Amino acid sequence: MKKQTRKVGVAGGFINQMMGNNSTEPKVGEGATILMYSDREAYEVIFVSECGNKCTLREMDTKFIGSGYGDEIYEYQSNPNNYTIQLEWSDKKRCWGKVTYTIEIIKSLAKKYYKKYDFGWSDILVNDYGLESYQHLYEDPNADNYYNQMKLIDGVTKQYKNFHKVSVIFGIMEKYRDPHF
């Protein structure tokens, strides 16, 4: 059984904190609610792996039908073109999470160079591995933007898996805007 745990009294709306402690599991065709600080977003489950440890959620189209702000009543409609999110269960962290991958300088190598050379270690590392400049670690050395990815260079960079906790409850599809903000 997958039992999510979320600390109560730390941050966020009390109801979302309590809802975050659950043992619900995803089932294709059912709803899912992503619990944020105090708001909630409605999703539908569109895929569950055979082992049940991975699932894909698709955001629902929502239409406000309440009488005013704070009267949180919505209509939900599926839209195959909406944003999807892939979640994985982590036995170690006892929660669902979004997995991303990044390519970074090997952490132990960066730590070794920083310890030996302090500031400016990256320039020395680049010279030691025969690269023209630090920018040549990236896919496009001339790009100057956040989305420019490092390339895999044997012995210098490595692909790392990143796990970002997501508080979710399955079987319920609910959008909610906290009227206090």
Side-chain angles (χ1 to χ4, degrees), residues 82-146:
N82 279 358
Y83 170 78
T84 61
I85 182 174
Q86 284 76 35
L87 299 180
E88 276 186 27
W89 173 257
S90 170
D91 281 327
K92 180 180 176 183
K93 298 181 185 207
R94 307 296 305 156
C95 66
W96 288 92
K98 183 178 179 182
V99 174
T100 59
Y101 295 90
T102 55
I103 298 173
E104 303 172 31
I105 294 175
I106 298 170
K107 291 178 182 177
S108 60
L109 182 65
K111 187 176 182 179
K112 176 181 147 187
Y113 269 77
Y114 179 77
K115 188 174 183 177
K116 187 172 181 180
Y117 301 108
D118 205 7
F119 295 104
W121 67 268
S122 58
D123 293 331
I124 296 167
L125 176 112
V126 165
N127 290 334
D128 286 355
Y129 284 90
L131 298 166
E132 288 181 46
S133 70
Y134 190 78
Q135 288 149 321
H136 286 84
L137 289 170
Y138 291 87
E139 294 290 337
D140 181 359
N142 299 317
D144 187 24
N145 60 50
Y146 177 77

Side-chain angles (χ1 to χ4, degrees), residues 25 28 30 34 56 62 69 75 78-79 81 96 107 113 118 133 158 167 171 175 178 181:
E25 296 197 27
V28 173
E30 288 190 357
I34 301 285
T56 303
T62 56
Y69 195 68
E75 286 181 349
S78 181
N79 182 344
N81 298 319
W96 288 92
K107 291 178 182 177
Y113 269 77
D118 205 7
S133 70
K158 175 181 172 183
S167 188
K175 180 174 177 75
D178 189 342
F181 290 101

Side-chain angles (χ1 to χ4, degrees), residues 64 66-74 175-181:
F64 178 71
S67 61
Y69 195 68
D71 183 18
E72 297 296 309
I73 302 171
Y74 295 88
K175 180 174 177 75
Y176 177 79
R177 299 171 303 163
D178 189 342
H180 298 97
F181 290 101

